[in-house]
């Protein structure tokens, strides 16, 4: 291979969550590819899908869903209508090629928080991806007394990976608080509302049964840019702030749109 910056991996599984909208792709993993839970990779395809020998020139960023200990990589994606990449990625079949940059990226990792009692993982849509890798790492369960996973979606069918989340809850009873929030339908015991509205009016804390306070809490944000901007402002008003110049932070944000 002429370009040493990436490797050619093979698709082993494609999982459809919502037909034509949400899917996951699992591929083989280069043994030399190492990453931290919460990081993302650049994933590539050739511009011409008919040329089986073309070099990848179209690249997109995707968080790893899989754990660093797994011998595969998994990516969770939405199909962007008319997009150059995701519609093609959704059509991949086992045996097809997907290219992965050798260098992982991103700072949505536990290293951002040297201390803390409660970890809040707040996501919208496919922003859930990074948190699945984090939750699949034993270190997070050892470091935090309580973990809140709040996932904002439009409708219930967009709540992917629920079996995996339920398994983590069963393995550590009472430790993982899962809050599935939909904006276009009412889920049992949950308000029909945006995550940012629930932060603003205090209901997210009520649902979790924990204070959203920077003394015990550490917060991660991953999702659409509008949610990130609004949540950062709301949390900033409560005293949450990213780390800087060697000062540990209480807030970590990922946005690779």
């Amino acid at each position: 291979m002429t370009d040493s910056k990436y490797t050619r991996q093979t698709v082993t599984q494609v999982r459809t969550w919502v037909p034509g909208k949400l899917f996951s792709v699992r591929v083989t993993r280069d043994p030399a590819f190492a990453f931290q839970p919460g990081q993302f990779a650049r994933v590539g395809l050739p511009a011409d899908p008919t040329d089986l020998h073309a070099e990848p020139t179209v690249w997109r960023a995707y968080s790893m869903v899989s754990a660093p200990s797994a011998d595969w990589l998994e990516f969770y994606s939405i199909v962007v209508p008319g997009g150059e990449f995701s519609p093609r990625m959704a059509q991949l079949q086992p045996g097809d090629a997907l290219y992965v940059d050798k260098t992982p990226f991103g700072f949505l990792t536990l290293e951002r928080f040297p201390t803390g009692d409660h970890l809040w993982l707040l996501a919208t849509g496919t922003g859930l991806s990074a948190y699945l890798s984090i939750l699949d790492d034993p270190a997070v369960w050892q470091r935090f007394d309580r973990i809140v996973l709040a996932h904002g979606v439009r409708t219930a069918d967009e709540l992917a990976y629920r079996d995996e989340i339920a398994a983590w809850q069963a393995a550590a009873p009472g430790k993982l608080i899962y809050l599935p929030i939909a904006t276009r339908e009412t889920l049992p015991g949950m308000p029909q509302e945006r995550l940012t509205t629930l932060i603003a009016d205090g209901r997210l804390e009520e649902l979790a049964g924990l204070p959203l306070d920077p003394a015990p809490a550490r917060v991660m944000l991953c999702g659409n840019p509008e949610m990130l901007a609004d949540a950062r402002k709301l949390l900033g008003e409560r005293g949450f702030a990213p780390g800087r110049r060697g000062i540990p932070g209480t807030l970590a944000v990922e946005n690779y749109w």
Side-chain angles (χ1 to χ4, degrees):
M1 188 170 290
T2 58
D3 191 332
S4 62
K5 294 182 179 179
Y6 60 80
T7 61
R8 182 187 189 276
Q9 301 303 317
T10 303
V11 175
T12 59
Q13 183 185 89
V14 179
R15 187 174 182 182
T16 299
W17 300 99
V18 179
K21 186 173 184 180
L22 292 171
F23 67 97
S24 298
V25 173
R26 182 175 293 189
V27 302
T28 54
R29 175 180 174 178
D30 180 13
F33 183 75
F35 66 94
Q36 296 181 54
Q39 288 191 304
F40 63 89
R42 292 175 68 247
V43 177
L45 288 169
D48 182 0
T50 64
D51 187 348
L52 300 180
H53 302 289
E55 299 293 320
T57 55
V58 185
W59 295 87
R60 296 293 184 270
Y62 286 97
S63 293
M64 271 68 72
V65 169
S66 44
S69 59
D71 59 4
W72 67 85
L73 297 175
E74 186 164 326
F75 306 103
Y76 175 43
S77 178
I78 188 170
V79 178
V80 179
E84 188 180 10
F85 193 91
S86 60
R88 288 179 54 198
M89 187 176 174
Q91 295 301 315
L92 292 175
Q93 298 294 321
D96 289 343
L98 188 67
Y99 297 85
V100 180
D101 193 307
K102 289 183 176 181
T103 304
F105 301 91
F107 301 99
L108 201 69
T109 63
L110 293 183
E111 286 187 347
R112 315 309 290 177
F113 307 133
T115 61
D117 298 324
H118 309 150
L119 178 64
W120 294 69
L121 307 173
L122 309 184
T124 54
T126 55
L128 176 72
S129 302
Y131 301 152
L132 297 168
S133 182
I134 289 171
L135 290 170
D136 213 2
D137 180 16
V140 73
W141 302 94
Q142 297 166 3
R143 286 193 49 187
F144 295 95
D145 296 330
R146 294 286 187 277
I147 302 170
V148 180
L149 174 61
H151 187 199
V153 295
R154 294 180 179 179
T155 55
D157 60 352
E158 298 176 7
L159 292 167
Y161 292 97
R162 295 194 73 166
D163 289 346
E164 288 82 352
I165 294 167
W168 287 318
Q169 287 182 300
K175 192 152 191 171
L176 176 61
I177 302 160
Y178 176 51
L179 304 177
I181 308 292
T183 58
R184 296 188 178 178
E185 65 179 282
T186 302
L187 303 178
M190 298 292 165
Q192 183 180 338
E193 195 55 88
R194 294 180 181 274
L195 279 182
T196 47
T197 301
L198 299 178
I199 294 172
D201 64 18
R203 280 184 288 170
L204 195 64
E205 294 168 279
E206 293 177 8
L207 290 168
L210 295 171
L212 195 50
D213 180 282
R218 304 293 177 263
V219 179
M220 288 184 168
L221 298 174
C222 193
N224 68 72
E226 182 181 357
M227 184 279 278
L228 295 182
D230 292 346
R232 287 187 73 157
K233 182 175 184 297
L234 290 166
L235 293 169
E237 292 169 353
R238 290 171 173 251
F240 288 91
R244 56 185 177 83
R245 297 179 183 177
I247 302 174
T250 52
L251 177 67
V253 181
E254 190 71 87
N255 181 7
Y256 47 80
W257 268 258

